[in-house]
Amino acid sequence: MLTKLRRTLISKSWLPDLVLIALAWWAAFWLRFNLRLPAAYIEDAVLTTPIALACMACGLVAMRVPRQSWRYVSLADLRRLAIGVALGALLTTAAVMGLRVTGFPRSVFLISALLSLVFLAGARATWRTLMELTHISTAGAPGAQPLLVVGTLEEADQALRTLKGAAGWQVCGVVSPDAQDAGRTLQGVPVHVGIGQLAEVAQAEKAGTVLLASPPGAELRREVLLRWSGSGLALLTLPSADEWLSPGATALRKVRLEDLLGRAPVQLDTHGLSALLSGQTVMVTGAAGSIGSELCRQVARFGVARLVCVDQSEYAVYRLEQELRRSFPNMQGVYLTASVREPERLLAIAMHFRPVVVLHAAAYKHVPLMEQGNEVEALHTNVLGTLHAARVAAQAGAQRFVLVSTDKAVNPTNVMGASKRLAEQVVQAVAAQFTGTQFVSVRFGNVLGSSGSVVPLFTAQIEQGGPVTVTHPEIVRYFMTIPEAAQLVLQAGLMGRSGQIFVLDMGEAVKIAELARMLIRLSGKSEAQVPIVYTGLRPGEKLYEELLADDETTEPTPHPKLRVAKSGVQGVISLAEIEAGIAGIGVAPQAAEVRKMLSQFVAEYRPGRSDTEVTFPSASEYPPPAPGAKEGCPTPSGVA
C-alpha cells in the first residue's frame, strides 16, 4: 500500500492537478470579494491552502483520479473526477471549520469546489483535444483515404471512436437512414441522409470506400448492398471481437456474406465449459474438416491440456497442425491420421490418451455424391464410424460424447440424411448400454463456407465470370457460421443428458437464389454481368429442409439457441442387427440394398428417385480376364 501511495504521489499528473487546485482555492477568495482580495483575508488564504490541497488530494486519491490517462479521458473518468472533487470539498470544509478560523467566508468552499472541477476537467479535456487534433492532422495527411460511414448516429459514433486509432483513413461524411438527422454533425463530421443517394454522396465527398457501421444482419446492410452494387465503391465493416483477438487483425475488413445474413453472437457458458475442458484431454474425429477444425480452435481456447486430432486426410491434418501450433503454442496437440471405420486403431488411440470429451465430426455429407454409387460409403462412415467412435469413447472412460448431426436427418429423402438419422439412433443405443458416458447428438443446418457447401462453389463460379448454378428458384436452406455451429456443439455437449438430440436455432431459412445474388453483388458485379441459371433439383435433394421430424416436438433449454428434440415412443435399435446388415451388403452393392436396409431401421426415410442410379455387378458376375489381357472389371451401369 505504501509503495502504491508513493507511486501515486510522485505521478507527474499530480503537479498540474495541485497547481490547479491551489489556483481554484485562491480564485474562490478573489470571486467571493468581487474580484479583489482584502488584506485581512490573505492570511486566511495562505493558512488554509495546504489544508485544501491535502484534503482535495485525499478525495481524488480515493476515486483513483491520479491513475486516469489524460489522453484517453472519458465521461466515466470525468464522473469519477466530480465525485473525487466533491469528497475533497467535504473534507476541506470539515478541516477548515475544525480550525475555527474567525470570520472565514464559508461560500469559498462551494466556489472552490466548482472551480476545481472546472479547472481539472478542463485541463483533461483540453489535453485530449490536442492529442486528437494531432491524430486528425496525421490521418488527414497525404495518402489518407476518404471514407464514408453508413449507419445510425449511435452506430456511426462507435465507428468513429474506433477509427481514431486507425491510420490512413479520413472520415469525410456519415450517411444516416433517419431523415431527422439531416444537417447535423457528428464529432465534427457532416451527416448526410438517404441510403438511396449513397453513390451521389460518395462522389460529392470524393470517397471511394464505405464503412458499414450497422451490426451484422441489420436490414440496413442489405439495403446498402443493393445500392452499392455496380457503384465502384469498396465496402468495409468493423471486425468482430474474436477477429480483433486474432493475429494480423486490422481496423477494417471487407464485408462477407455472413455479415449480411446476420447471426447474433452465441452466448456460451464459459464457466461451465472451462470447468469441463480446462486442463483435460479432448479428442476430435474428422478434426481437419470444416466443423472439426473449428471445434479444435474453440476447444483450444478453453485451455485444454491435450487435443487429440484424428482425421483420415494426411494433408488436412498437416495444415491443422501448422495452424494450431502457431495459434496455441502452449497446448499439447496430437495429430493422427486414422479412419473411424477402423475400430481397433480408434480404440488404441483412445485408450492411450484417455480423452474426457470426444467430439465426433467425421462424416460423409455431400448429398448427391452419397446418392449415386457411394451409398455403402455413407453406411460405413456415417453409421459404423459413429458406432465405433461412440463405443470407443465409452470404453476409454470419456465423460461426454457429442455427435455432429444434420437437419437432413429429419424425414430424410436421401441416403446421406438417412445414414445420419441412423447414426443418431446408434448413439442412443450405445447410451443405453454405457451409462457412465453422456451421449448427445446436435442437429443443425448448412454452415457458411464449409467444404462442399454452395458458398465456395458460387464464389468460384463468380470468379470465372458465371453463370452461377442454382438447382431451383424456390429452394431454401438454413445457414449458420462455422464458429457459431462449433460453439453450440460444445454448449450442447456441456448441458445435454445422455440420449438427447439437440436442435439448434437456425433462424430464418434463406433462399439459395438470394444467397447467390448477394454473393454476386459482394463481388462488385450485377446479375446482368454474372447470370443465375437454374439446373433442377439433384437426386435426393429437397426444396425445404426441416429441423424436426413430424412426430417430434421440442423442449426449451436454459440456452436460447438450443432446444431438445422429443421423439415419439420408439424402442432402442439392435446394434448387432445394424452391424450384420451392413456387413451383409458388401462393398459394391446394388443401391437398392442400401436403401432397403435404411428403410428397415429409419421409419421416416422416404427414398427419392434417382434417374442416374449407379449399380455394380456382384463378385460372381465379374468375368475372368481373357488370356494375356489386363485384369479389370466391367463398367458399372450409369457410369460413362
Side-chain angles (χ1 to χ4, degrees), residues 13-14 16-18 20-21 24 55-70 73-90 112-126:
S13 65
W14 267 112
D17 280 347
L18 292 176
L20 292 173
I21 291 170
C55 293
M56 192 63 71
C58 290
L60 297 180
V61 168
M63 298 307 298
R64 299 185 178 182
V65 172
R67 295 177 178 270
Q68 294 176 353
S69 171
W70 286 31
V73 67
S74 63
L75 288 177
D77 292 328
L78 294 181
R79 285 192 291 268
R80 297 183 70 88
L81 174 64
I83 297 173
V85 168
L87 182 58
L90 291 175
S112 66
L114 294 175
L115 290 177
S116 295
L117 179 59
V118 171
F119 289 170
L120 296 177
R124 286 160 171 77
T126 301

Side-chain angles (χ1 to χ4, degrees), residues 386-426:
T386 299
L387 175 58
H388 298 156
R391 278 178 174 167
V392 161
Q395 292 168 356
Q399 294 180 13
R400 294 183 180 272
F401 175 90
V402 183
L403 165 67
V404 176
S405 189
T406 172
D407 58 355
K408 295 175 179 61
V410 182
N411 293 328
T413 60
N414 50 70
V415 170
M416 195 284 285
S419 67
K420 293 296 285 184
R421 174 60 186 137
L422 184 54
E424 293 177 352
Q425 294 175 271
V426 163

Side-chain angles (χ1 to χ4, degrees), residues 577-588:
E577 290 182 7
I578 291 178
E579 291 180 285
I582 294 178
I585 290 176
V587 294

